[in-house]
Amino acid sequence: GKPSQTKRYIIPEDTPFYVGRRRVFGIEELTVSRTQIEISISRDSDDEISAKITRHGLNPSFLVRRHKYSEKPLERGKPYRISRGDSILLSKSSKYKFKLKIVTYKDPTQ
């Protein structure tokens, strides 16, 4: 098979970002809803970036922590804090995997 390609998506702060069955992600699997996972990025009181995911889709999705190999099923509607290097599996097939990489950009005009 062909090697998996890494695609990068910029997720704005304080704006819900949905990952699911959409052409932009190349996901056609019907068990993945269009709004399967919501990713939200915000800053805490120490100005540190915080990322949370919430499963909205009917079918299961999973969280794989960076240093663990087990898949944790995500409860529907419950937010989970995710850390740099954690991965999200959108469905049981594990075909669609998203890994969090936090990159901050300094605005040159400030």
Side-chain angles (χ1 to χ4, degrees), residues 52-71:
K52 289 184 180 164
I53 58 170
T54 306
R55 179 187 130 221
H56 293 292
L58 287 172
N59 291 306
S61 291
F62 304 88
L63 175 60
V64 181
R65 297 283 183 200
R66 187 170 125 197
H67 296 299
K68 296 184 179 171
Y69 298 100
S70 59
E71 300 169 0

Side-chain angles (χ1 to χ4, degrees), residues 6 11 14 24 27 34 37-38 48 52 56 65 70 79 100 107:
T6 299
I11 301 175
D14 301 317
V24 68
I27 298 172
R34 285 183 170 83
I37 295 283
E38 174 188 341
E48 288 292 313
K52 289 184 180 164
H56 293 292
R65 297 283 183 200
S70 59
L100 178 69
D107 186 339

Side-chain angles (χ1 to χ4, degrees), residues 4-103:
S4 63
Q5 295 180 336
T6 299
K7 293 181 183 176
R8 294 170 191 223
Y9 303 97
I10 307 269
I11 301 175
E13 287 181 39
D14 301 317
T15 305
F17 182 87
Y18 292 92
V19 179
R21 190 181 70 240
R22 294 175 32 213
R23 188 174 293 149
V24 68
F25 301 118
I27 298 172
E28 299 171 3
E29 195 173 309
L30 293 176
T31 58
V32 176
S33 99
R34 285 183 170 83
T35 55
Q36 184 73 20
I37 295 283
E38 174 188 341
I39 303 173
S40 55
I41 306 288
S42 58
R43 289 185 184 267
D44 62 21
S45 55
D46 298 327
D47 205 36
E48 288 292 313
I49 290 179
S50 169
K52 289 184 180 164
I53 58 170
T54 306
R55 179 187 130 221
H56 293 292
L58 287 172
N59 291 306
S61 291
F62 304 88
L63 175 60
V64 181
R65 297 283 183 200
R66 187 170 125 197
H67 296 299
K68 296 184 179 171
Y69 298 100
S70 59
E71 300 169 0
K72 177 184 178 72
L74 300 173
E75 277 183 50
R76 190 170 181 217
K78 178 181 173 184
Y80 293 82
R81 184 180 211 114
I82 57 172
S83 303
R84 197 174 295 197
D86 288 350
S87 297
I88 305 162
L89 302 176
L90 291 189
S91 70
K92 280 185 183 173
S93 75
S94 303
K95 184 176 176 184
Y96 304 110
K97 184 175 185 178
F98 291 81
K99 185 177 279 192
L100 178 69
K101 180 176 182 180
I102 297 173
V103 179

